[in-house]
């Protein structure tokens, strides 16, 4: 088993499903060819980009970090992905976080999005922190978006 065939999950390494390994390999090749830009992707590949960006940023620094970094350009599209993969509670959390940036949600433009975040009041900042905590509680309860997405991919690629 190679490193790319394993994933760290709850302190145990588990073998990745071959469909997931192949899907991710093909996705990374496409992303490498575009310099990391999510262009020319099919709907499932774009959904993977949404999920991966969310996971990396929220696990590392919470919803504020997710929204403030380049990953935030996917924030408006990601709740629908979460609904599709069976994570409606996570979708609701992100929808609420998105609304904290205005009625139209977070702009795709990095500078516009960060200007809104920089102007955010303490109550809104605290709410982002609370929503981050809620996300982690959902994951702790077993509703892990990565696992749900893997199942979603396997169902569509089998």
């Amino acid at each position: 088993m190679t490193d790319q065939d394993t994933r760290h999950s709850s302190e145990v390494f588990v073998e990745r499903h071959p469909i997931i390994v192949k899907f991710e390999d093909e996705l990374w090749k496409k992303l490498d060819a575009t310099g990391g830009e999510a262009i020319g992707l099919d709907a499932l590949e774009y959904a993977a980009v949404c999920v991966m960006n969310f996971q990396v940023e929220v696990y590392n620094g919470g919803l504020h970090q997710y929204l403030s970094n380049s990953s935030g350009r996917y924030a408006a599209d990601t709740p629908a992905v979460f609904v599709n993969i069976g994570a409606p509670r996570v979708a609701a959390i992100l929808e609420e976080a998105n609304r904290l940036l205005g009625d139209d949600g977070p702009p795709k433009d990095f500078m516009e999005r960060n200007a809104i975040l920089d102007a955010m009041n303490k109550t809104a900042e605290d709410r982002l922190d609370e929503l981050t905590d809620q996300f982690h509680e959902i994951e702790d309860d077993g509703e892990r978006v990565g696992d749900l997405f893997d199942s979603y991919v396997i169902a569509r690629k089998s």
Side-chain angles (χ1 to χ4, degrees), residues 15-117:
E15 189 168 339
R16 301 296 312 266
H17 193 287
I19 289 174
I20 297 301
V21 172
K22 181 180 181 200
F23 174 76
E24 288 176 350
D25 285 347
E26 291 170 358
L27 175 60
W28 284 115
K29 286 177 187 171
K30 285 185 177 183
L31 291 172
D32 286 345
T34 62
E37 294 297 318
I39 53 176
L41 303 179
D42 65 31
L44 190 58
E45 293 164 336
Y46 183 77
V49 169
C50 290
V51 171
M52 288 187 300
N53 275 277
F54 180 86
Q55 284 184 291
V56 167
E57 297 292 356
V58 175
Y59 290 156
N60 188 41
L63 283 163
H64 190 278
Q65 179 172 311
Y66 167 69
L67 292 166
S68 66
N69 286 340
S70 61
S71 56
R73 78 180 102 174
Y74 305 109
D77 299 333
T78 303
V81 172
F82 289 148
V83 168
N84 288 339
I85 68 171
R89 295 188 300 164
V90 178
I93 286 169
L94 184 52
E95 286 170 346
E96 183 176 343
N98 286 346
R99 283 191 304 273
L100 291 172
L101 278 74
D103 293 337
D104 295 329
K108 288 197 184 285
D109 181 79
F110 179 85
M111 297 302 285
E112 288 178 46
R113 198 171 54 255
N114 276 280
I116 294 168
L117 286 164

